[in-house]
């Protein structure tokens, strides 16, 4: 079974054309896609989680 694609935070920010500060403001309000914190304190976002998050906002618009 293949592992799900994991994106680094800079990749997510570039795709969303969003600053790190704006992303963390969304996260503080509970509106950002789910983050995975690795043991080395880096964060990742599953591609499927990001796509699902984008789909929710596309439907709401």
């Amino acid at each position: 079974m293949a592992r799900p694609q994991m994106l680094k935070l800079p990749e997510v920010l570039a795709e969303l054309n969003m600053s790190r500060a704006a992303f963390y403001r969304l996260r503080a309000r509970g509106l950002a896609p789910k983050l995975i914190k690795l043991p080395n304190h880096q964060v990742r976002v599953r591609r499927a989680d990001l796509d699902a998050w984008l789909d929710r906002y596309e439907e709401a618009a």
Side-chain angles (χ1 to χ4, degrees):
M1 183 164 87
R3 287 185 171 181
Q5 183 182 8
M6 305 289 276
L7 302 171
K8 294 178 180 180
L9 188 56
E11 294 170 327
V12 173
L13 297 175
E15 186 169 329
L16 297 175
N17 193 26
M18 182 180 286
S19 71
R20 183 179 297 263
F23 183 86
Y24 277 103
R25 282 193 301 270
L26 282 177
R27 186 168 182 242
R29 291 185 282 186
L31 301 175
K34 181 179 176 184
L35 295 180
I36 298 168
K37 191 167 188 176
L38 302 176
N40 62 1
H41 303 288
Q42 293 182 359
V43 293
R44 298 287 188 273
V45 177
R46 285 187 187 98
R47 164 53 66 186
D49 290 342
L50 180 61
D51 290 342
W53 181 80
L54 287 169
D55 288 344
R56 278 194 307 263
Y57 284 98
E58 182 178 54
E59 292 170 3

